[in-house]
Amino acid sequence: MSLIQRYNAGEVSPANGTTHEVETTVKTNTPVNGEYRLLTLDAPQSVLDCQPGQFFHILCPVTKAEQPYLRRPMSIYGYSAEKGELQFLYKVTGEGTRALATLTRGDTLNVLGPLGVGFTIQDDWQNLLLLARGVGLATLAPLAQEAQRLNRKLVAICSARNADVLMSIDHFQSLGAEVITVTDADGTSDLENLRDIIEGRIASEGVDAMYTCGSNRMLKLLQEIGAKHQIPGEIALEQQMACGLGMCQCCVRSFNRKGTITQERVCREGPVFGIEEAMAW
Amino acid sequence: MVDLSTRIGSLTLANPIMPASGTFSEDLSEVLDLHQLGAHVTKTITAEKRGGNPTPRVCEVRGSMLNSIGIPSKGVQHFIDNTIPFYNAYDVPLVVSISANSADEFARICEQVSVPGVAAIEVNISCPNIEEDGKAFAMRPSTTTTVMEKLRSASDLPLWAKLSPNTGETIEVAQAAEEAGADALVVANTLLSMAIDIHTRKPKLGNLMGGLSGPSLKPIALRMAYQCAKSVQIPVIGCGGISTVEDIVEYLIAGATAVQVGTATFINPNIMVTLLGQLETYLETRNIADISDLVGSVRDEDAADSVVFMETAP
Ligand SMILES: Cc1cc2nc3c(=O)[nH]c(=O)nc-3n(C[C@H](O)[C@H](O)[C@H](O)COP(=O)(O)OP(=O)(O)OC[C@H]3O[C@@H](n4cnc5c(N)ncnc54)[C@H](O)[C@@H]3O)c2cc1C
Ligand SMILES: Cc1cc2nc3c(=O)[nH]c(=O)nc-3n(C[C@H](O)[C@H](O)[C@H](O)COP(=O)(O)O)c2cc1C
Ligand code: FES
């Protein structure tokens, strides 16, 4: 399948000087709910030629309380060359993201990017399906933007603990996606229900490609469904990073390429990989 | 005009700033103009293909980091076919870092990479010697002598021995490397360290332990660079914790003739070029025409006693 070839390490297209370390200015940094915040930056054109699924490596500020050292990788949530804008949707988890949360309008933030290989939408993929939970929504959102631009149909299955932390529903809808929400609280987010929903879509409209993020559970589900119906898919993965540029080799994960286990750098060969080659962890 | 060029034995570098092995690769060319560096130093390679260590391979500690990358290697042939040609497109000396687990293997790979297009070989003797007791060659003068003698007879290229801060015998190891034919010393590699997550009680690195790099390593590596410069005739290349122009100047004053920048590139990928500009300005504003005026200019005349006792100081 073409997906596998596309990801051969040697063939990854170099960004050819499209990666820049730049200073941006904070426009807004607002809470989305109790856990997540949306950061909107005024960014130079040089870094706004982005692909959905790519990420930036962010130099979080050092504050009195927080002293992050390494950069933090964050998926691009939104980008607009027209508005000169770059957005990140992030969960406040530790030192770096707590420091990010302190940024206010007018503050500067040093970002490096865009980095990595993003999602693909092949020409003959008309019906797209994405399955997202938590922070995965941030990573998958630009895919909806791209699907709209390319005039493809997209159904977004958004999963969360409860309705309060479901995010980006309006965002997906405004981009023309059909949204299906499932929550733990309603008992609708279990694997069997997800499987039924996806199988239902395959049987009705049909699904040409599936996309997901980060979770082992969802990976396995989409691998099974993909194998059964011969539907290709892509997954965006996470790993600890230092350089973000492919230099240090710290961000590797294992992949199964036609029976051979290989190690690939999430920052460079990824963060988006073919679903069939990703390995549960 | 200040003269930033510096000599490392027979090799002249356009400026004293180069990357540290393992913190640099072809990939940096997307962010930074590699022409501007004093030399290009590649990630250590080994003869055989290797996978490297389990993840997580990095973690941060207050203002610095630990790594246990290991030496994942695609092997020598891949390196000769792909990496050397890439760097040869630049008119910048290429320094190839190599390693092996035994002195004979080390000599073999040294011979294999002694090819046109390579200006010098950095020998990472901070790796374990499996024929002895698993301790790194650079831990002791005796193992340093053995491996450096074999390396010396395997290549005519300049050999830069990269020392380890994990030894208690810095001066003896430095002198052993010099006597066995090293052309320069790179001081130093990372310091063995550990970090534990107190919530899960698990070590933060998959490999349990790893090497400390970044600003907190600097006083240790600087001390070693000073000790080495005092006790050998060959050039010393300072490495460890450099992130500002003052750090570079400090290493030069301590006796280093060039420096390597590692972890700081992860924080600011442009830093080497930024530092180069700042170094030029620093020298200009102080009317220092040549960096050799700084090298070894430390005023330590009054400190003879502490120099004698520095190994045992409390
Ligand atoms: C390609 C990529 C895209 C990402 N996109 C987003 C996003 O859009 N929104 C979002 O909220 N989060 C995203 N993450 C996860 C985000 O990087 C971490 O949540 C963040 O680094 C945590 O930093 P901290 O200092 O707050 O937490 P701490 O737990 O204090 O971090 C300690 C160290 O571990 C690293 N780390 C912790 N969690 C992760 C993780 N999940 N992945 C990689 N490194 C981690 C940190 O970078 C830091 O070096 C992404 C991760 C990757 C690899
Ligand atoms: C991620 C990482 C990988 C490294 N890999 C190597 C290596 O392959 N060979 C080597 O000799 N040193 C390696 N080093 C050590 C550096 O070259 C350097 O000696 C050390 O990091 C201290 O310099 P710094 O504080 O400027 O980073 C590595 C360091 C880091 C952080
Ligand atoms: S983070 Fe350094 S290689 Fe991926």
Side-chain angles (χ1 to χ4, degrees), chain A residues 248, chain B residues 20-23 43-44 67 69 124 162 188-190 213-214 217 239-242 262-263 266:
Chain A
C248 73
Chain B
S21 175
T23 63
K43 167 83 183 167
T44 301
N67 89 81
I69 307 288
N124 178 6
K162 185 154 177 189
N189 214 310
T190 55
S213 65
L217 181 62
C239 174
I242 292 173
T263 306
F266 298 167

mmCIF file with all atom_site columns, all heavy atoms in Angstrom, chain A residues 248, chain B residues 20-23 43-44 67 69 124 162 188-190 213-214 217 239-242 262-263 266, ligand 2:
data_model
loop_
_atom_site.group_PDB
_atom_site.id
_atom_site.type_symbol
_atom_site.label_atom_id
_atom_site.label_alt_id
_atom_site.label_comp_id
_atom_site.label_asym_id
_atom_site.label_entity_id
_atom_site.label_seq_id
_atom_site.pdbx_PDB_ins_code
_atom_site.Cartn_x
_atom_site.Cartn_y
_atom_site.Cartn_z
_atom_site.occupancy
_atom_site.B_iso_or_equiv
_atom_site.pdbx_formal_charge
_atom_site.auth_seq_id
_atom_site.auth_comp_id
_atom_site.auth_asym_id
_atom_site.auth_atom_id
_atom_site.pdbx_PDB_model_num
ATOM   1   N N   . CYS A 1 248 ? 18.511 14.303 17.917 1.00 0.00 ? 248 CYS A N   1
ATOM   2   C CA  . CYS A 1 248 ? 18.953 13.645 19.152 1.00 0.00 ? 248 CYS A CA  1
ATOM   3   C C   . CYS A 1 248 ? 18.510 12.198 19.279 1.00 0.00 ? 248 CYS A C   1
ATOM   4   O O   . CYS A 1 248 ? 19.039 11.475 20.121 1.00 0.00 ? 248 CYS A O   1
ATOM   5   C CB  . CYS A 1 248 ? 18.497 14.449 20.363 1.00 0.00 ? 248 CYS A CB  1
ATOM   6   S SG  . CYS A 1 248 ? 16.724 14.328 20.696 1.00 0.00 ? 248 CYS A SG  1
ATOM   7   N N   . ALA B 2 20  ? 28.457 19.788 19.434 1.00 0.00 ? 20  ALA B N   1
ATOM   8   C CA  . ALA B 2 20  ? 28.904 18.605 20.175 1.00 0.00 ? 20  ALA B CA  1
ATOM   9   C C   . ALA B 2 20  ? 28.248 17.374 19.570 1.00 0.00 ? 20  ALA B C   1
ATOM   10  O O   . ALA B 2 20  ? 27.091 17.426 19.138 1.00 0.00 ? 20  ALA B O   1
ATOM   11  C CB  . ALA B 2 20  ? 28.526 18.741 21.652 1.00 0.00 ? 20  ALA B CB  1
ATOM   12  N N   . SER B 2 21  ? 28.984 16.282 19.560 1.00 0.00 ? 21  SER B N   1
ATOM   13  C CA  . SER B 2 21  ? 28.478 15.043 18.971 1.00 0.00 ? 21  SER B CA  1
ATOM   14  C C   . SER B 2 21  ? 27.155 14.627 19.618 1.00 0.00 ? 21  SER B C   1
ATOM   15  O O   . SER B 2 21  ? 26.999 14.687 20.837 1.00 0.00 ? 21  SER B O   1
ATOM   16  C CB  . SER B 2 21  ? 29.515 13.932 19.171 1.00 0.00 ? 21  SER B CB  1
ATOM   17  O OG  . SER B 2 21  ? 29.006 12.699 18.717 1.00 0.00 ? 21  SER B OG  1
ATOM   18  N N   . GLY B 2 22  ? 26.206 14.222 18.794 1.00 0.00 ? 22  GLY B N   1
ATOM   19  C CA  . GLY B 2 22  ? 24.923 13.723 19.293 1.00 0.00 ? 22  GLY B CA  1
ATOM   20  C C   . GLY B 2 22  ? 23.864 14.792 19.456 1.00 0.00 ? 22  GLY B C   1
ATOM   21  O O   . GLY B 2 22  ? 22.699 14.490 19.743 1.00 0.00 ? 22  GLY B O   1
ATOM   22  N N   . THR B 2 23  ? 24.278 16.058 19.266 1.00 0.00 ? 23  THR B N   1
ATOM   23  C CA  . THR B 2 23  ? 23.311 17.140 19.412 1.00 0.00 ? 23  THR B CA  1
ATOM   24  C C   . THR B 2 23  ? 23.188 17.909 18.099 1.00 0.00 ? 23  THR B C   1
ATOM   25  O O   . THR B 2 23  ? 22.746 19.048 18.066 1.00 0.00 ? 23  THR B O   1
ATOM   26  C CB  . THR B 2 23  ? 23.744 18.119 20.518 1.00 0.00 ? 23  THR B CB  1
ATOM   27  O OG1 . THR B 2 23  ? 24.990 18.709 20.124 1.00 0.00 ? 23  THR B OG1 1
ATOM   28  C CG2 . THR B 2 23  ? 23.930 17.409 21.840 1.00 0.00 ? 23  THR B CG2 1
ATOM   29  N N   . LYS B 2 43  ? 27.244 12.655 15.064 1.00 0.00 ? 43  LYS B N   1
ATOM   30  C CA  . LYS B 2 43  ? 26.857 11.737 16.142 1.00 0.00 ? 43  LYS B CA  1
ATOM   31  C C   . LYS B 2 43  ? 27.767 10.519 16.106 1.00 0.00 ? 43  LYS B C   1
ATOM   32  O O   . LYS B 2 43  ? 28.127 10.026 15.025 1.00 0.00 ? 43  LYS B O   1
ATOM   33  C CB  . LYS B 2 43  ? 25.395 11.301 15.901 1.00 0.00 ? 43  LYS B CB  1
ATOM   34  C CG  . LYS B 2 43  ? 24.915 10.118 16.738 1.00 0.00 ? 43  LYS B CG  1
ATOM   35  C CD  . LYS B 2 43  ? 24.466 10.525 18.114 1.00 0.00 ? 43  LYS B CD  1
ATOM   36  C CE  . LYS B 2 43  ? 24.066 9.318  18.952 1.00 0.00 ? 43  LYS B CE  1
ATOM   37  N NZ  . LYS B 2 43  ? 23.918 9.691  20.381 1.00 0.00 ? 43  LYS B NZ  1
ATOM   38  N N   . THR B 2 44  ? 28.155 10.031 17.274 1.00 0.00 ? 44  THR B N   1
ATOM   39  C CA  . THR B 2 44  ? 29.019 8.859  17.335 1.00 0.00 ? 44  THR B CA  1
ATOM   40  C C   . THR B 2 44  ? 28.414 7.694  16.557 1.00 0.00 ? 44  THR B C   1
ATOM   41  O O   . THR B 2 44  ? 27.219 7.420  16.678 1.00 0.00 ? 44  THR B O   1
ATOM   42  C CB  . THR B 2 44  ? 29.216 8.422  18.802 1.00 0.00 ? 44  THR B CB  1
ATOM   43  O OG1 . THR B 2 44  ? 29.792 9.504  19.530 1.00 0.00 ? 44  THR B OG1 1
ATOM   44  C CG2 . THR B 2 44  ? 30.129 7.205  18.895 1.00 0.00 ? 44  THR B CG2 1
ATOM   45  N N   . ASN B 2 67  ? 20.242 12.391 29.420 1.00 0.00 ? 67  ASN B N   1
ATOM   46  C CA  . ASN B 2 67  ? 19.887 11.556 28.275 1.00 0.00 ? 67  ASN B CA  1
ATOM   47  C C   . ASN B 2 67  ? 20.507 10.181 28.403 1.00 0.00 ? 67  ASN B C   1
ATOM   48  O O   . ASN B 2 67  ? 21.573 10.000 28.988 1.00 0.00 ? 67  ASN B O   1
ATOM   49  C CB  . ASN B 2 67  ? 20.307 12.220 26.952 1.00 0.00 ? 67  ASN B CB  1
ATOM   50  C CG  . ASN B 2 67  ? 21.715 11.861 26.537 1.00 0.00 ? 67  ASN B CG  1
ATOM   51  O OD1 . ASN B 2 67  ? 21.964 10.805 25.968 1.00 0.00 ? 67  ASN B OD1 1
ATOM   52  N ND2 . ASN B 2 67  ? 22.665 12.737 26.853 1.00 0.00 ? 67  ASN B ND2 1
ATOM   53  N N   . ILE B 2 69  ? 20.384 8.160  25.368 1.00 0.00 ? 69  ILE B N   1
ATOM   54  C CA  . ILE B 2 69  ? 20.095 7.814  23.974 1.00 0.00 ? 69  ILE B CA  1
ATOM   55  C C   . ILE B 2 69  ? 20.812 6.519  23.614 1.00 0.00 ? 69  ILE B C   1
ATOM   56  O O   . ILE B 2 69  ? 20.282 5.679  22.903 1.00 0.00 ? 69  ILE B O   1
ATOM   57  C CB  . ILE B 2 69  ? 20.591 8.925  23.008 1.00 0.00 ? 69  ILE B CB  1
ATOM   58  C CG1 . ILE B 2 69  ? 20.054 10.295 23.403 1.00 0.00 ? 69  ILE B CG1 1
ATOM   59  C CG2 . ILE B 2 69  ? 20.259 8.575  21.566 1.00 0.00 ? 69  ILE B CG2 1
ATOM   60  C CD1 . ILE B 2 69  ? 18.619 10.545 23.167 1.00 0.00 ? 69  ILE B CD1 1
ATOM   61  N N   . ASN B 2 124 ? 35.248 8.748  20.828 1.00 0.00 ? 124 ASN B N   1
ATOM   62  C CA  . ASN B 2 124 ? 34.418 8.810  22.025 1.00 0.00 ? 124 ASN B CA  1
ATOM   63  C C   . ASN B 2 124 ? 34.808 7.648  22.936 1.00 0.00 ? 124 ASN B C   1
ATOM   64  O O   . ASN B 2 124 ? 34.206 6.581  22.888 1.00 0.00 ? 124 ASN B O   1
ATOM   65  C CB  . ASN B 2 124 ? 32.949 8.737  21.590 1.00 0.00 ? 124 ASN B CB  1
ATOM   66  C CG  . ASN B 2 124 ? 31.995 8.750  22.766 1.00 0.00 ? 124 ASN B CG  1
ATOM   67  O OD1 . ASN B 2 124 ? 32.406 8.916  23.907 1.00 0.00 ? 124 ASN B OD1 1
ATOM   68  N ND2 . ASN B 2 124 ? 30.727 8.569  22.475 1.00 0.00 ? 124 ASN B ND2 1
ATOM   69  N N   . LYS B 2 162 ? 37.814 12.227 23.257 1.00 0.00 ? 162 LYS B N   1
ATOM   70  C CA  . LYS B 2 162 ? 36.777 12.865 24.060 1.00 0.00 ? 162 LYS B CA  1
ATOM   71  C C   . LYS B 2 162 ? 36.754 12.246 25.450 1.00 0.00 ? 162 LYS B C   1
ATOM   72  O O   . LYS B 2 162 ? 36.481 11.055 25.614 1.00 0.00 ? 162 LYS B O   1
ATOM   73  C CB  . LYS B 2 162 ? 35.415 12.724 23.387 1.00 0.00 ? 162 LYS B CB  1
ATOM   74  C CG  . LYS B 2 162 ? 34.335 13.478 24.150 1.00 0.00 ? 162 LYS B CG  1
ATOM   75  C CD  . LYS B 2 162 ? 33.200 13.879 23.267 1.00 0.00 ? 162 LYS B CD  1
ATOM   76  C CE  . LYS B 2 162 ? 32.105 14.567 24.057 1.00 0.00 ? 162 LYS B CE  1
ATOM   77  N NZ  . LYS B 2 162 ? 30.909 14.768 23.245 1.00 0.00 ? 162 LYS B NZ  1
ATOM   78  N N   . ALA B 2 188 ? 34.121 18.045 27.897 1.00 0.00 ? 188 ALA B N   1
ATOM   79  C CA  . ALA B 2 188 ? 34.021 16.632 28.155 1.00 0.00 ? 188 ALA B CA  1
ATOM   80  C C   . ALA B 2 188 ? 32.675 16.096 27.685 1.00 0.00 ? 188 ALA B C   1
ATOM   81  O O   . ALA B 2 188 ? 31.819 16.841 27.234 1.00 0.00 ? 188 ALA B O   1
ATOM   82  C CB  . ALA B 2 188 ? 34.141 16.396 29.664 1.00 0.00 ? 188 ALA B CB  1
ATOM   83  N N   . ASN B 2 189 ? 32.503 14.811 27.922 1.00 0.00 ? 189 ASN B N   1
ATOM   84  C CA  . ASN B 2 189 ? 31.235 14.141 27.661 1.00 0.00 ? 189 ASN B CA  1
ATOM   85  C C   . ASN B 2 189 ? 30.279 14.387 28.834 1.00 0.00 ? 189 ASN B C   1
ATOM   86  O O   . ASN B 2 189 ? 30.577 15.182 29.720 1.00 0.00 ? 189 ASN B O   1
ATOM   87  C CB  . ASN B 2 189 ? 31.497 12.643 27.460 1.00 0.00 ? 189 ASN B CB  1
ATOM   88  C CG  . ASN B 2 189 ? 30.540 12.029 26.446 1.00 0.00 ? 189 ASN B CG  1
ATOM   89  O OD1 . ASN B 2 189 ? 29.327 12.212 26.551 1.00 0.00 ? 189 ASN B OD1 1
ATOM   90  N ND2 . ASN B 2 189 ? 31.075 11.329 25.465 1.00 0.00 ? 189 ASN B ND2 1
ATOM   91  N N   . THR B 2 190 ? 29.155 13.674 28.850 1.00 0.00 ? 190 THR B N   1
ATOM   92  C CA  . THR B 2 190 ? 28.151 13.890 29.909 1.00 0.00 ? 190 THR B CA  1
ATOM   93  C C   . THR B 2 190 ? 28.541 13.173 31.209 1.00 0.00 ? 190 THR B C   1
ATOM   94  O O   . THR B 2 190 ? 29.317 12.219 31.198 1.00 0.00 ? 190 THR B O   1
ATOM   95  C CB  . THR B 2 190 ? 26.781 13.377 29.465 1.00 0.00 ? 190 THR B CB  1
ATOM   96  O OG1 . THR B 2 190 ? 26.910 12.006 29.076 1.00 0.00 ? 190 THR B OG1 1
ATOM   97  C CG2 . THR B 2 190 ? 26.238 14.185 28.301 1.00 0.00 ? 190 THR B CG2 1
ATOM   98  N N   . SER B 2 213 ? 23.754 16.916 30.907 1.00 0.00 ? 213 SER B N   1
ATOM   99  C CA  . SER B 2 213 ? 24.313 17.946 30.028 1.00 0.00 ? 213 SER B CA  1
ATOM   100 C C   . SER B 2 213 ? 23.541 19.230 30.236 1.00 0.00 ? 213 SER B C   1
ATOM   101 O O   . SER B 2 213 ? 22.490 19.236 30.866 1.00 0.00 ? 213 SER B O   1
ATOM   102 C CB  . SER B 2 213 ? 24.233 17.502 28.563 1.00 0.00 ? 213 SER B CB  1
ATOM   103 O OG  . SER B 2 213 ? 22.882 17.397 28.154 1.00 0.00 ? 213 SER B OG  1
ATOM   104 N N   . GLY B 2 214 ? 24.074 20.316 29.688 1.00 0.00 ? 214 GLY B N   1
ATOM   105 C CA  . GLY B 2 214 ? 23.435 21.610 29.884 1.00 0.00 ? 214 GLY B CA  1
ATOM   106 C C   . GLY B 2 214 ? 24.141 22.403 30.967 1.00 0.00 ? 214 GLY B C   1
ATOM   107 O O   . GLY B 2 214 ? 25.154 21.954 31.532 1.00 0.00 ? 214 GLY B O   1
ATOM   108 N N   . LEU B 2 217 ? 26.304 21.280 33.976 1.00 0.00 ? 217 LEU B N   1
ATOM   109 C CA  . LEU B 2 217 ? 27.544 20.536 33.760 1.00 0.00 ? 217 LEU B CA  1
ATOM   110 C C   . LEU B 2 217 ? 28.747 21.480 33.632 1.00 0.00 ? 217 LEU B C   1
ATOM   111 O O   . LEU B 2 217 ? 29.895 21.077 33.792 1.00 0.00 ? 217 LEU B O   1
ATOM   112 C CB  . LEU B 2 217 ? 27.415 19.688 32.478 1.00 0.00 ? 217 LEU B CB  1
ATOM   113 C CG  . LEU B 2 217 ? 28.595 18.816 32.070 1.00 0.00 ? 217 LEU B CG  1
ATOM   114 C CD1 . LEU B 2 217 ? 28.886 17.753 33.142 1.00 0.00 ? 217 LEU B CD1 1
ATOM   115 C CD2 . LEU B 2 217 ? 28.337 18.133 30.726 1.00 0.00 ? 217 LEU B CD2 1
ATOM   116 N N   . CYS B 2 239 ? 33.847 21.663 26.199 1.00 0.00 ? 239 CYS B N   1
ATOM   117 C CA  . CYS B 2 239 ? 32.477 21.236 25.895 1.00 0.00 ? 239 CYS B CA  1
ATOM   118 C C   . CYS B 2 239 ? 31.737 20.919 27.184 1.00 0.00 ? 239 CYS B C   1
ATOM   119 O O   . CYS B 2 239 ? 32.219 20.158 28.006 1.00 0.00 ? 239 CYS B O   1
ATOM   120 C CB  . CYS B 2 239 ? 32.509 20.002 25.002 1.00 0.00 ? 239 CYS B CB  1
ATOM   121 S SG  . CYS B 2 239 ? 30.896 19.280 24.700 1.00 0.00 ? 239 CYS B SG  1
ATOM   122 N N   . GLY B 2 240 ? 30.583 21.511 27.343 1.00 0.00 ? 240 GLY B N   1
ATOM   123 C CA  . GLY B 2 240 ? 29.763 21.224 28.521 1.00 0.00 ? 240 GLY B CA  1
ATOM   124 C C   . GLY B 2 240 ? 29.081 22.483 29.014 1.00 0.00 ? 240 GLY B C   1
ATOM   125 O O   . GLY B 2 240 ? 29.727 23.398 29.522 1.00 0.00 ? 240 GLY B O   1
ATOM   126 N N   . GLY B 2 241 ? 27.778 22.545 28.801 1.00 0.00 ? 241 GLY B N   1
ATOM   127 C CA  . GLY B 2 241 ? 26.985 23.606 29.398 1.00 0.00 ? 241 GLY B CA  1
ATOM   128 C C   . GLY B 2 241 ? 27.069 24.970 28.766 1.00 0.00 ? 241 GLY B C   1
ATOM   129 O O   . GLY B 2 241 ? 26.595 25.943 29.340 1.00 0.00 ? 241 GLY B O   1
ATOM   130 N N   . ILE B 2 242 ? 27.653 25.054 27.588 1.00 0.00 ? 242 ILE B N   1
ATOM   131 C CA  . ILE B 2 242 ? 27.781 26.383 26.981 1.00 0.00 ? 242 ILE B CA  1
ATOM   132 C C   . ILE B 2 242 ? 26.431 26.857 26.436 1.00 0.00 ? 242 ILE B C   1
ATOM   133 O O   . ILE B 2 242 ? 25.791 26.156 25.654 1.00 0.00 ? 242 ILE B O   1
ATOM   134 C CB  . ILE B 2 242 ? 28.830 26.363 25.849 1.00 0.00 ? 242 ILE B CB  1
ATOM   135 C CG1 . ILE B 2 242 ? 30.213 26.142 26.455 1.00 0.00 ? 242 ILE B CG1 1
ATOM   136 C CG2 . ILE B 2 242 ? 28.779 27.670 25.037 1.00 0.00 ? 242 ILE B CG2 1
ATOM   137 C CD1 . ILE B 2 242 ? 31.314 25.936 25.450 1.00 0.00 ? 242 ILE B CD1 1
ATOM   138 N N   . GLY B 2 262 ? 26.371 21.866 22.765 1.00 0.00 ? 262 GLY B N   1
ATOM   139 C CA  . GLY B 2 262 ? 25.489 20.702 22.654 1.00 0.00 ? 262 GLY B CA  1
ATOM   140 C C   . GLY B 2 262 ? 24.042 21.033 22.938 1.00 0.00 ? 262 GLY B C   1
ATOM   141 O O   . GLY B 2 262 ? 23.305 21.555 22.099 1.00 0.00 ? 262 GLY B O   1
ATOM   142 N N   . THR B 2 263 ? 23.641 20.754 24.184 1.00 0.00 ? 263 THR B N   1
ATOM   143 C CA  . THR B 2 263 ? 22.249 20.869 24.597 1.00 0.00 ? 263 THR B CA  1
ATOM   144 C C   . THR B 2 263 ? 21.615 22.222 24.278 1.00 0.00 ? 263 THR B C   1
ATOM   145 O O   . THR B 2 263 ? 20.419 22.295 23.995 1.00 0.00 ? 263 THR B O   1
ATOM   146 C CB  . THR B 2 263 ? 22.170 20.578 26.113 1.00 0.00 ? 263 THR B CB  1
ATOM   147 O OG1 . THR B 2 263 ? 22.797 19.309 26.333 1.00 0.00 ? 263 THR B OG1 1
ATOM   148 C CG2 . THR B 2 263 ? 20.744 20.499 26.595 1.00 0.00 ? 263 THR B CG2 1
ATOM   149 N N   . PHE B 2 266 ? 19.301 22.465 21.443 1.00 0.00 ? 266 PHE B N   1
ATOM   150 C CA  . PHE B 2 266 ? 17.930 21.949 21.582 1.00 0.00 ? 266 PHE B CA  1
ATOM   151 C C   . PHE B 2 266 ? 16.982 23.059 22.054 1.00 0.00 ? 266 PHE B C   1
ATOM   152 O O   . PHE B 2 266 ? 15.808 23.053 21.738 1.00 0.00 ? 266 PHE B O   1
ATOM   153 C CB  . PHE B 2 266 ? 17.862 20.806 22.601 1.00 0.00 ? 266 PHE B CB  1
ATOM   154 C CG  . PHE B 2 266 ? 18.672 19.590 22.246 1.00 0.00 ? 266 PHE B CG  1
ATOM   155 C CD1 . PHE B 2 266 ? 18.924 18.604 23.197 1.00 0.00 ? 266 PHE B CD1 1
ATOM   156 C CD2 . PHE B 2 266 ? 19.171 19.410 20.965 1.00 0.00 ? 266 PHE B CD2 1
ATOM   157 C CE1 . PHE B 2 266 ? 19.658 17.476 22.876 1.00 0.00 ? 266 PHE B CE1 1
ATOM   158 C CE2 . PHE B 2 266 ? 19.918 18.284 20.630 1.00 0.00 ? 266 PHE B CE2 1
ATOM   159 C CZ  . PHE B 2 266 ? 20.167 17.311 21.599 1.00 0.00 ? 266 PHE B CZ  1
HETATM 160 C C1  . LIG C 3 .   ? 21.015 13.827 23.401 1.00 0.00 ? 2   LIG C C1  1
HETATM 161 C C2  . LIG C 3 .   ? 22.512 13.770 23.501 1.00 0.00 ? 2   LIG C C2  1
HETATM 162 C C3  . LIG C 3 .   ? 23.228 12.835 22.753 1.00 0.00 ? 2   LIG C C3  1
HETATM 163 C C4  . LIG C 3 .   ? 24.608 12.771 22.840 1.00 0.00 ? 2   LIG C C4  1
HETATM 164 N N1  . LIG C 3 .   ? 25.284 11.854 22.083 1.00 0.00 ? 2   LIG C N1  1
HETATM 165 C C5  . LIG C 3 .   ? 26.641 11.834 22.124 1.00 0.00 ? 2   LIG C C5  1
HETATM 166 C C6  . LIG C 3 .   ? 27.377 10.947 21.296 1.00 0.00 ? 2   LIG C C6  1
HETATM 167 O O1  . LIG C 3 .   ? 26.818 10.186 20.492 1.00 0.00 ? 2   LIG C O1  1
HETATM 168 N N2  . LIG C 3 .   ? 28.727 10.949 21.390 1.00 0.00 ? 2   LIG C N2  1
HETATM 169 C C7  . LIG C 3 .   ? 29.409 11.795 22.227 1.00 0.00 ? 2   LIG C C7  1
HETATM 170 O O2  . LIG C 3 .   ? 30.620 11.767 22.255 1.00 0.00 ? 2   LIG C O2  1
HETATM 171 N N3  . LIG C 3 .   ? 28.732 12.656 23.018 1.00 0.00 ? 2   LIG C N3  1
HETATM 172 C C8  . LIG C 3 .   ? 27.365 12.695 22.981 1.00 0.00 ? 2   LIG C C8  1
HETATM 173 N N4  . LIG C 3 .   ? 26.692 13.591 23.770 1.00 0.00 ? 2   LIG C N4  1
HETATM 174 C C9  . LIG C 3 .   ? 27.438 14.475 24.674 1.00 0.00 ? 2   LIG C C9  1
HETATM 175 C C10 . LIG C 3 .   ? 27.662 15.854 24.055 1.00 0.00 ? 2   LIG C C10 1
HETATM 176 O O3  . LIG C 3 .   ? 28.450 15.747 22.890 1.00 0.00 ? 2   LIG C O3  1
HETATM 177 C C11 . LIG C 3 .   ? 28.354 16.794 25.035 1.00 0.00 ? 2   LIG C C11 1
HETATM 178 O O4  . LIG C 3 .   ? 29.600 16.242 25.376 1.00 0.00 ? 2   LIG C O4  1
HETATM 179 C C12 . LIG C 3 .   ? 27.554 17.000 26.301 1.00 0.00 ? 2   LIG C C12 1
HETATM 180 O O5  . LIG C 3 .   ? 26.191 17.085 26.000 1.00 0.00 ? 2   LIG C O5  1
HETATM 181 C C13 . LIG C 3 .   ? 27.981 18.256 27.073 1.00 0.00 ? 2   LIG C C13 1
HETATM 182 O O6  . LIG C 3 .   ? 27.773 19.420 26.326 1.00 0.00 ? 2   LIG C O6  1
HETATM 183 P P1  . LIG C 3 .   ? 26.462 20.354 26.488 1.00 0.00 ? 2   LIG C P1  1
HETATM 184 O O7  . LIG C 3 .   ? 26.273 20.616 27.932 1.00 0.00 ? 2   LIG C O7  1
HETATM 185 O O8  . LIG C 3 .   ? 26.764 21.571 25.679 1.00 0.00 ? 2   LIG C O8  1
HETATM 186 O O9  . LIG C 3 .   ? 25.338 19.569 25.928 1.00 0.00 ? 2   LIG C O9  1
HETATM 187 C C14 . LIG C 3 .   ? 25.297 13.662 23.700 1.00 0.00 ? 2   LIG C C14 1
HETATM 188 C C15 . LIG C 3 .   ? 24.575 14.600 24.444 1.00 0.00 ? 2   LIG C C15 1
HETATM 189 C C16 . LIG C 3 .   ? 23.204 14.677 24.357 1.00 0.00 ? 2   LIG C C16 1
HETATM 190 C C17 . LIG C 3 .   ? 22.468 15.706 25.166 1.00 0.00 ? 2   LIG C C17 1
#
